[in-house]
Amino acid sequence: MRIPPDFENKFRNLMSPEEFDEFITALNDDRTAGLRLNGLKADLPAWNRISPFETRPVPWTRYGFYIKDDSRPGIHPYYHAGLYYIQEPSAMFPAEVLKAEPEDRVLDLCAAPGGKTVALAASMKNRGFLLSNDINPKRIKALVKNIELCGITNTVVTNESPERLSEVYRGFFNKVLLDVPCSGEGMFRKDPDAVKSWSKYKSEELQGLQREIFDHAYRMLSPGGTLVYSTCTFSPEENEQNIAFFLRTYPDLYLIDIPKDFGIEPGRPDWADGNPELLKTARLWPHRVKGEGHFVALFGRHGEYTPVNTDSKPDEPLKSFLEFCDKVLTKKPEGIYHVDGPHMNIIPAGFENNEKLRIIKTGLYVGEEVHGKFEPSQAFAMALEWNNAKRKKGFSLDDPDLMRYLKGETLFSDGEKGYILIGVENYPVGWGKIDDKRLKNLYPKGWRKIR
């Protein structure tokens, strides 16, 4: 890797000669790869029995695993079943620090492509209300797919500016994750483009953007709430100097000490204004931990959290949906049903529609009624438990028909006409529809396995 000379000179002046040599040597080592088990789909004992990869646990998160860089987890059928999310190990730390719980109201403000949202939803056990937002419309598609792939049902996705969100959700969330856009120095080993683009995105310029985004996140944080600020860069301007600024600017904010285990180190007060409180922040360095690099700070806000009462009244489910459930499932899913014409969603508690916002996805899109018949969505298939399906067909990993299904090919199958849940082993991957001994393949085109 050709490390930018300005980057080298900057950290040569910040670090001792010994640490600088270790740091630069680490940046020239091989990158680390990992995956995070989706606790909504499988528990650790089950994963330990079925894992097709050689793994080692990531020490700072219960569900994280190191994998070999050539494992190719994105083409395995278990990926298509949403059993795990592919994520760099140090990037797993911010969601772990926030400690989202069921019934929380959580905001993931800069969410795409969705790794932290997936982790938060799993911690919440698909309960409570999680708002996942990204301002970039090009990144929203990947965010929605990852949410649906992992069977997440408690999440609303918006494509909005932090400013517009803060006008609607002032003081609403008791937990906020703010993984801000940054200079990406922690991605140097993982992404060669991060090295090429480093000189274009100056830390001093990004610092202003980060402070602006933080201000809107602060406005949405309730008294008594907690906020995680994180970056995947090493820059003091974007890390300690920003945290020092926030402490001076927002007197009702304070830092909560993050435990420094497994090689995680404290922030560097001398790289900012010398405030010893900065020792409560955390740095994941590539020469201290097995990871690409991250900075994390955990803020608390003085006061007491009082949830805003926004209970949603459920609609009556579509009659065709109830007929579908009676035929295909053992029971209809629980939740707050919302019917909009022929379309039906199950929305998270605490959500109210707001026409001011660009809402891309509202909870679980269950499906729609077409000519009096209910057509289930792919998201609905991924959110179902295998045991809740009366009509289902599970393929083993070595069954050639599994690959044919994931490629979108038509299969042959006996059985009663109608919808059937398709799975790998005991994990759903999508729908099929039996008609005259043919299994019509309903796996989405954009999800298909093409290799």
Side-chain angles (χ1 to χ4, degrees):
M1 181 202 310
R2 182 173 175 79
I3 298 174
D6 288 346
F7 174 86
E8 282 201 32
N9 291 334
K10 177 179 181 177
F11 282 91
R12 189 187 302 274
N13 292 326
L14 288 170
M15 294 174 162
S16 69
E18 295 78 14
E19 184 179 16
F20 175 76
D21 288 342
E22 292 175 358
F23 178 47
I24 295 301
T25 298
L27 288 181
N28 284 290
D29 284 344
D30 294 335
R31 67 179 187 175
T32 54
L35 59 82
R36 188 185 185 282
L37 178 64
N38 180 7
L40 298 174
K41 296 276 188 177
D43 58 20
L44 287 171
W47 176 248
N48 290 334
R49 289 195 304 270
I50 67 173
S51 173
F53 310 114
E54 182 181 331
T55 64
R56 291 189 297 109
V58 174
W60 47 83
T61 176
R62 183 183 177 200
Y63 291 101
F65 295 91
Y66 294 106
I67 57 174
K68 292 184 176 180
D69 198 27
D70 59 355
S71 297
R72 304 179 75 193
I75 66 172
H76 195 279
Y78 285 158
Y79 171 80
H80 292 262
L83 264 62
Y84 51 80
Y85 184 91
I86 302 166
Q87 190 173 34
E88 188 276 311
S90 62
M92 301 176 188
F93 192 59
E96 193 73 19
V97 170
L98 189 60
K99 298 188 186 309
E101 298 177 347
E103 315 310 333
D104 278 339
R105 290 183 177 175
V106 183
L107 170 64
D108 187 0
L109 187 54
C110 307
K116 295 175 178 66
T117 287
V118 168
L120 293 169
S123 295
M124 298 169 75
K125 304 186 188 303
N126 253 343
R127 290 153 53 191
F129 174 36
L130 172 57
L131 182 66
S132 183
N133 177 76
D134 204 274
I135 195 173
N136 188 337
K138 295 180 180 179
R139 290 163 59 87
I140 285 291
K141 187 174 181 180
L143 175 60
V144 169
K145 180 187 174 181
N146 285 322
I147 287 171
E148 293 184 345
L149 182 67
C150 291
I152 294 170
T153 62
N154 71 334
T155 301
V156 172
V157 177
T158 53
N159 175 211
E160 275 298 348
S161 68
E163 180 180 11
R164 284 176 64 86
L165 279 181
S166 66
E167 293 171 359
V168 173
Y169 287 108
R170 189 174 294 265
F172 183 85
F173 299 98
N174 68 310
K175 290 181 181 173
V176 175
L177 179 57
L178 181 56
D179 189 51
V180 292
C182 67
S183 53
E185 296 165 353
M187 295 294 103
F188 278 4
R189 293 193 307 192
K190 179 181 177 182
D191 183 5
D193 289 338
V195 179
K196 295 176 184 177
S197 64
W198 179 81
S199 60
K200 298 179 184 178
Y201 302 103
K202 296 296 184 182
S203 292
E204 295 81 0
E205 298 171 4
L206 286 164
Q207 185 185 73
L209 173 63
Q210 292 156 354
R211 292 180 180 184
E212 179 182 341
I213 295 173
F214 185 94
D215 184 69
H216 295 301
Y218 165 80
R219 293 170 189 267
M220 290 184 274
L221 179 66
S222 70
T226 53
L227 181 153
V228 161
Y229 173 95
S230 65
T231 75
C232 58
T233 195
F234 309 118
S235 160
E237 292 85 354
E238 301 170 68
N239 295 326
E240 286 90 351
Q241 291 177 28
N242 266 345
I243 303 306
F245 173 82
F246 300 145
L247 290 173
R248 295 193 302 267
T249 306
Y250 305 94
D252 61 341
L253 290 183
Y254 60 95
L255 285 174
I256 301 170
D257 193 21
I258 299 172
K260 313 300 189 300
D261 302 315
F262 318 115
I264 296 170
E265 294 192 345
R268 309 278 178 104
D270 56 314
W271 290 0
D273 60 1
N275 186 345
E277 285 292 294
L278 296 175
L279 292 169
K280 295 179 178 179
T281 65
R283 277 186 172 271
L284 284 74
W285 293 101
H287 58 292
R288 298 287 187 251
V289 304
K290 189 172 175 57
E292 299 305 298
H294 238 77
F295 173 88
V296 183
L298 176 61
F299 287 96
R301 185 172 184 179
H302 289 294
E304 185 175 349
Y305 172 53
T306 304
V308 181
N309 185 14
T310 55
D311 291 337
S312 304
K313 295 181 180 180
D315 294 333
E316 285 294 322
L318 293 169
K319 182 181 178 182
S320 59
F321 170 72
L322 296 177
E323 293 170 348
F324 172 88
C325 290
D326 186 59
K327 185 174 183 178
V328 179
L329 306 180
T330 60
K331 61 181 180 179
K332 72 178 179 69
E334 297 179 355
I336 302 169
Y337 289 94
H338 175 71
V339 177
D340 182 11
H343 303 282
M344 196 172 78
N345 291 64
I346 299 178
I347 64 175
F351 170 73
E352 286 188 347
N353 191 35
N354 192 300
E355 295 181 356
K356 294 181 181 179
L357 302 178
R358 289 189 293 271
I359 299 175
I360 308 301
K361 177 179 173 59
T362 307
L364 172 63
Y365 177 59
V366 183
E368 64 177 322
E369 185 175 83
V370 179
H371 303 306
K373 299 293 185 180
F374 187 76
E375 296 186 354
S377 70
Q378 175 68 14
F380 186 28
M382 300 307 294
L384 283 171
E385 293 184 5
W386 187 249
N387 290 336
N388 190 23
K390 289 190 289 189
R391 291 171 51 82
K392 56 192 175 185
K393 185 176 182 64
F395 295 109
S396 63
L397 284 173
D398 58 358
D399 192 326
D401 277 348
L402 173 62
M403 291 298 105
R404 295 189 184 104
Y405 176 80
L406 294 176
K407 292 178 180 179
E409 297 176 12
T410 298
L411 304 178
F412 296 94
S413 180
D414 293 323
E416 184 183 356
K417 289 184 178 182
Y419 286 98
I420 182 171
L421 186 65
I422 306 298
V424 50
E425 307 293 349
N426 294 323
Y427 303 101
V429 293
W431 296 107
K433 193 173 185 181
I434 297 176
D435 186 13
D436 194 24
K437 295 189 177 181
R438 293 168 64 87
L439 180 67
K440 182 179 179 181
N441 195 321
L442 301 178
Y443 199 63
K445 290 182 179 180
W447 290 31
R448 290 177 183 172
K449 184 180 175 70
I450 58 176
R451 285 178 287 179

